[in-house]
Amino acid sequence: MGLGVGRKRGEAVLEMADVIPEDAPIPDDLSWTLKRRPTINDVARLSGVSKKTVSRVINQSPLVRGDTRERVQKVIDKIGFEPDLQARGLASQRSFLLGLVYDNPNAQYVVKIQEGVLEASRRAGYELVVHPCDRTSPGLAAEVRHFVERQKLDGVILLPPVSENEQVAAELAEADCRYVRVLAAPIDRSSNTVLYYDWEGAAEVAEHLADLGHRKIGYIAGPRSFRSAHERDRGFRQGLARRRVGLDPALVEEGAYTFESGEAAAEKLLSRPDRPTAIFACNDEMAAGVLKVAYRMGLRVPEELSVVGFDDSPLASRLWPSLTTVRLPIKEMGQMAAEKLIQRIVNPGTPPATDSIVVARLVIRESTARAP
Amino acid sequence: MGLGVGRKRGEAVLEMADVIPEDAPIPDDLSWTLKRRPTINDVARLSGVSKKTVSRVINQSPLVRGDTRERVQKVIDKIGFEPDLQARGLASQRSFLLGLVYDNPNAQYVVKIQEGVLEASRRAGYELVVHPCDRTSPGLAAEVRHFVERQKLDGVILLPPVSENEQVAAELAEADCRYVRVLAAPIDRSSNTVLYYDWEGAAEVAEHLADLGHRKIGYIAGPRSFRSAHERDRGFRQGLARRRVGLDPALVEEGAYTFESGEAAAEKLLSRPDRPTAIFACNDEMAAGVLKVAYRMGLRVPEELSVVGFDDSPLASRLWPSLTTVRLPIKEMGQMAAEKLIQRIVNPGTPPATDSIVVARLVIRESTARAP
DNA sequence: TTCCCAGATGACACCGGTATCAAAACGCTT
DNA sequence: AAGCGTTTTGATACCGGTGTCATCTGGGAA
């Protein structure tokens, strides 16, 4: 038997000149490596084991003996082998790609969240494929499904408002694709969600304004179709109620989260005889519109009018006066979403972790002051 | 012979129940399709041809007879076959992925250019993998190379300032990876560049200010290390020269393209006894800083001080007063870059197209007026 | 009719990994 | 030394396409 083995080894050596004898050092001349990317076969040959064993090493399988693993690893390091993702994916039905689906390519937050997602996913060896889309498109769910199937994405992150679309989620579930949603309010018990509590920030806005003595408060809500707008609305009203300050329905406008809609709403509010002493606009864009109208009308901010925004976009700190607003840890949300997703991917059988929650917090700047 | 063929066909039919006889309609019951994604083998079997022929059809090879092509195509459509990108990539050394490399994830322009790139690349069936990086990192070139090789990207688009790094370009060339650079000024004769002529816009700024009667013009330059800053500088000086207006070196500051650096520079400029009547800041961020300082010092804009920015960022139109600035067709640049890249990929032997050029143009808003 | 050649098609190896399952090696008893 | 249950390891068939090259087909020329 022993002899038989010896013979086999011998044959192998004769056949493949490059094989490394049991205890000889790995050759230093690796000029041939330059010719092409090393493959798993090269590693196998050079370390005198089978492909499968190399495969086990690179996949950290525990079924490899310590010295074998070391030996193989040394060769891997030496020749700089990196597994081919396509081959790996083809064989194992993975792609090492994550997807990021969003609408609203203009929104600041996309870049930031993308940044966070990328940091986390890169750490785990995943790359990110981005996919902007139109949330109002009728074929959205199918489109997203096609996107993930085309690239066999290992998982997707859905940003609001796409994340609020149940069809998309259902389609992904059916396609058997893991996903994580970033949402303003829990939708189901799936626990694959990063929740951001806008409402807490909005409540803080209400309390802040109330505490400054404002009683006639104008309010520019966000579009009904956005979940976050709902949550901000809920929080704001709740905060006012806590301080026992009423909200005059006549001082409530609905905006579209755009600068222009903010201007329009502000014009209505500020041209009233009993004009408000403070205005809370549901995002910074609209708040910037309010500021502009105030200037045009010769109203001093914050002396005669306090203005509050939401989002802490770059805009907020660059306006004059700088905006009191509400900040979400956007980048961190991206990280959390990616980590959650990767966790689900690498550890499919794990008990579903609880939702991650981040809370929006008031940032006081120059645009708010005591009521006149 | 004819008999032989007939027999063969017959055998085939017997062996594979699903095969479609020469002129029989393709069966409508395709319930089995649901089981798994159809593969090229399914198509081949159902249409009674070999894999290779199907492959030819999906690759639009001209070596397929019209009726064969039709027959196969019909099956493809019917069962909704889509080639597996990983398998295809593994076999043909492609990936159908493009890369977008950028620094400065905060910059507005990244999202916009990304939008343009995505539109064009999606049209051509490519997906986009994004890769932010640190332009000052010493290992940048190697990192980018690793990025493209890991995913076997078919091509990369480099955005400034990464695009200005010759090492990165060299490394990519060595890795035999197609790339397109977005650049403010031509670097070589490679012609794989989308050029944006910042300098023309800057010249227009100079002329605009000169025409408004400004003679004492403050100038906040961008950081020397940025190519675009150079170009803006060149253009601005050129424009002034054309109008025979001098630029007092004492009124020149260098900023860092940040809001804060704009504030600092403006403070210096505006606290001089012979303070300028106009300030050109090399980007909108810094111009916003100038505006803020002007407010703080009680200077009215544009009556007492004209301010001009550059970039036409979202900020520019939302400030009060809205900024006169310079606009680049960012999204279009992204499209052009992607189209250029794809062109190179699908048509490798093509004579190198000339560089694409876009020109920055002045946008006059509210922040500039006649000199006092 | 026979020959020839271009156009169409197919058989089969291959891309670089993973999965399966059998075989080998190992450590301990008995 | 033989027996036996674990580790370790490897042979080989995939995954789903593409590339190569041989074969087949169908006119037109001889």
Side-chain angles (χ1 to χ4, degrees):
Chain A
M1 267 284 204
L3 204 95
V5 172
R7 191 147 23 127
K8 258 193 203 161
R9 281 263 159 72
E11 280 169 19
V13 171
L14 283 178
E15 280 174 34
M16 320 182 201
D18 287 350
V19 86
I20 301 174
E22 191 70 15
D23 29 43
I26 296 152
D28 273 327
D29 176 15
L30 295 167
S31 50
W32 60 270
T33 22
L34 298 175
K35 287 176 196 159
R36 55 173 175 66
R37 223 175 128 168
T39 75
I40 200 174
N41 292 303
D42 299 322
V43 177
R45 196 156 31 77
L46 281 173
S47 48
V49 300
S50 72
K51 293 166 78 158
K52 183 62 211 184
T53 299
V54 178
S55 171
R56 290 200 180 93
V57 171
I58 62 187
N59 287 294
Q60 323 213 45
S61 155
L63 298 95
V64 190
R65 228 176 33 209
D67 57 334
T68 311
R69 172 187 309 285
E70 245 176 71
R71 202 177 154 61
V72 172
Q73 189 60 52
K74 206 171 284 175
V75 174
I76 290 177
D77 295 341
K78 201 137 204 166
I79 70 179
F81 164 73
E82 281 193 79
D84 180 306
L85 294 180
Q86 290 175 319
R88 218 176 177 184
L90 177 59
S92 64
Q93 307 298 339
R94 296 184 296 168
S95 66
F96 304 93
L97 293 175
L98 303 184
L100 181 68
V101 177
Y102 58 90
D103 187 1
N104 248 340
N106 304 315
Q108 260 306 316
Y109 82 95
V110 171
V111 216
K112 284 218 189 159
I113 218 165
Q114 181 172 302
E115 201 185 331
V117 169
L118 274 162
E119 269 181 29
S121 54
R122 231 190 256 178
R123 264 199 301 272
Y126 286 82
E127 298 287 345
L128 186 70
V129 185
V130 295
H131 189 91
C133 61
D134 175 7
R135 72 171 173 288
T136 63
S137 154
L140 182 59
E143 177 195 329
V144 172
R145 178 177 189 159
H146 184 244
F147 167 60
V148 309
E149 292 194 328
R150 198 175 122 84
Q151 300 287 343
K152 288 215 210 86
L153 298 184
D154 290 346
V156 231
I157 293 170
L158 305 174
L159 301 189
V162 183
S163 56
E164 293 160 10
N165 185 321
E166 280 306 314
Q167 274 184 45
V168 172
E171 192 85 21
L172 285 176
E174 198 191 305
D176 208 30
C177 172
R178 277 162 265 272
Y179 63 91
V180 163
R181 293 194 275 186
V182 176
L183 277 174
I187 284 192
D188 52 25
R189 272 180 211 75
S190 67
S191 84
N192 47 5
T193 305
V194 172
L195 285 176
Y196 54 100
Y197 280 172
D198 270 1
W199 63 270
E200 289 210 18
E204 286 182 12
V205 169
E207 291 168 7
H208 173 59
L209 290 178
D211 292 348
L212 285 172
H214 294 279
R215 289 302 173 263
K216 280 185 302 185
I217 302 179
Y219 171 45
I220 306 177
R224 285 181 217 287
S225 58
F226 282 66
R227 193 126 194 140
S228 64
H230 262 218
E231 291 300 304
R232 292 173 191 187
D233 189 84
R234 185 165 71 85
F236 185 58
R237 292 173 192 273
Q238 196 169 315
L240 286 179
R242 260 189 240 152
R243 289 292 189 273
R244 309 201 178 291
V245 173
L247 181 60
D248 182 352
L251 295 185
V252 176
E253 296 288 335
E254 179 174 327
Y257 273 170
T258 64
F259 180 73
E260 291 74 16
S261 70
E263 279 184 289
E267 243 145 38
K268 280 198 208 161
L269 290 174
L270 294 177
S271 53
R272 295 176 60 90
D274 59 335
R275 66 153 199 262
T277 62
I279 292 182
F280 170 41
C282 260
N283 73 350
D284 289 341
E285 282 283 308
M286 298 197 294
V290 174
L291 236 44
K292 179 149 194 169
V293 172
Y295 274 117
R296 253 196 320 252
M297 299 180 62
L299 281 171
R300 284 171 307 148
V301 176
E303 292 82 357
E304 297 171 86
L305 176 73
S306 287
V307 178
V308 183
F310 203 112
D311 284 345
D312 194 23
S313 69
L315 199 58
S317 53
R318 281 145 183 76
L319 288 171
W320 170 262
S322 60
L323 270 182
T324 291
T325 184
V326 177
R327 173 190 300 159
L328 275 172
I330 301 286
K331 186 174 150 185
E332 286 73 14
M333 289 161 61
Q335 289 187 7
M336 292 164 78
E339 281 162 7
K340 215 175 179 54
L341 184 57
I342 292 167
Q343 167 65 22
R344 299 201 148 226
I345 292 170
V346 301
N347 214 332
T350 203
T354 147
D355 282 338
S356 309
I357 295 174
V358 299
V359 174
R361 286 284 172 230
L362 183 69
V363 178
I364 299 177
R365 293 220 181 83
E366 303 165 336
S367 66
T368 47
R370 291 212 67 78
Chain B
M1 264 289 203
L3 204 96
V5 172
R7 191 145 26 119
K8 258 192 203 158
R9 281 262 159 71
E11 279 169 22
V13 171
L14 284 177
E15 280 174 36
M16 320 181 201
D18 287 348
V19 86
I20 301 172
E22 192 70 15
D23 30 43
I26 295 153
D28 274 327
D29 175 17
L30 294 166
S31 49
W32 61 271
T33 24
L34 299 176
K35 286 176 196 159
R36 57 173 173 65
R37 223 176 128 166
T39 75
I40 198 173
N41 293 304
D42 298 321
V43 178
R45 196 158 29 79
L46 282 173
S47 49
V49 300
S50 72
K51 293 166 79 158
K52 185 63 215 185
T53 299
V54 178
S55 170
R56 290 199 180 92
V57 170
I58 62 187
N59 286 294
Q60 323 214 43
S61 156
L63 298 95
V64 189
R65 230 176 33 211
D67 56 334
T68 312
R69 173 189 308 286
E70 244 175 73
R71 201 177 154 62
V72 173
Q73 189 61 53
K74 206 171 284 173
V75 174
I76 289 177
D77 294 341
K78 200 135 204 169
I79 71 178
F81 164 74
E82 281 193 80
D84 180 305
L85 294 180
Q86 289 175 321
R88 217 175 177 185
L90 178 60
S92 64
Q93 306 298 338
R94 295 183 296 167
S95 67
F96 305 92
L97 293 175
L98 302 184
L100 182 68
V101 177
Y102 58 90
D103 186 2
N104 248 339
N106 304 315
Q108 259 308 315
Y109 82 94
V110 172
V111 217
K112 284 217 190 160
I113 217 165
Q114 180 171 304
E115 201 185 332
V117 168
L118 275 162
E119 268 181 29
S121 52
R122 231 189 255 178
R123 263 200 302 272
Y126 286 82
E127 297 287 345
L128 186 70
V129 185
V130 295
H131 188 91
C133 62
D134 176 6
R135 71 171 173 288
T136 63
S137 154
L140 181 60
E143 177 194 327
V144 173
R145 178 177 189 159
H146 184 245
F147 167 60
V148 308
E149 292 194 330
R150 199 175 121 86
Q151 300 287 343
K152 288 216 211 85
L153 298 184
D154 290 345
V156 231
I157 293 171
L158 304 174
L159 300 190
V162 183
S163 55
E164 294 160 9
N165 185 321
E166 280 306 314
Q167 276 184 43
V168 171
E171 192 85 20
L172 285 176
E174 199 190 304
D176 209 30
C177 172
R178 278 162 266 272
Y179 63 91
V180 164
R181 294 195 274 186
V182 177
L183 278 174
I187 283 193
D188 53 24
R189 273 179 212 74
S190 67
S191 84
N192 47 4
T193 306
V194 172
L195 285 177
Y196 54 101
Y197 280 173
D198 270 1
W199 65 272
E200 288 210 19
E204 286 182 12
V205 169
E207 291 167 6
H208 173 59
L209 290 177
D211 292 348
L212 286 172
H214 294 279
R215 289 302 174 264
K216 279 184 302 184
I217 302 179
Y219 171 44
I220 307 177
R224 286 180 214 287
S225 58
F226 282 66
R227 194 128 194 138
S228 64
H230 261 219
E231 291 299 305
R232 291 173 191 187
D233 188 84
R234 186 165 72 84
F236 185 57
R237 289 173 193 273
Q238 197 169 314
L240 286 179
R242 258 189 242 153
R243 290 292 189 272
R244 310 200 177 291
V245 172
L247 181 59
D248 182 353
L251 295 185
V252 177
E253 297 287 336
E254 179 175 329
Y257 274 168
T258 63
F259 180 73
E260 291 75 16
S261 70
E263 278 185 289
E267 242 147 40
K268 279 198 209 163
L269 291 173
L270 295 177
S271 53
R272 296 175 59 88
D274 59 334
R275 65 154 200 260
T277 62
I279 293 182
F280 170 41
C282 261
N283 74 350
D284 289 341
E285 282 283 304
M286 298 196 294
V290 174
L291 236 42
K292 179 148 193 172
V293 171
Y295 274 118
R296 251 195 321 251
M297 298 179 62
L299 282 170
R300 283 170 307 146
V301 177
E303 293 82 357
E304 297 170 87
L305 176 73
S306 286
V307 177
V308 182
F310 204 112
D311 284 344
D312 194 24
S313 69
L315 199 57
S317 53
R318 282 147 182 74
L319 287 171
W320 171 261
S322 59
L323 270 181
T324 291
T325 184
V326 177
R327 174 190 300 158
L328 275 172
I330 301 287
K331 187 173 150 184
E332 285 74 14
M333 288 162 61
Q335 287 187 8
M336 293 165 78
E339 280 162 8
K340 216 175 178 57
L341 184 57
I342 292 168
Q343 167 64 24
R344 300 203 146 225
I345 292 170
V346 302
N347 213 332
T350 203
T354 148
D355 282 339
S356 309
I357 296 175
V358 299
V359 173
R361 286 285 172 231
L362 184 69
V363 178
I364 299 177
R365 293 220 182 83
E366 304 167 335
S367 66
T368 47
R370 293 212 65 78

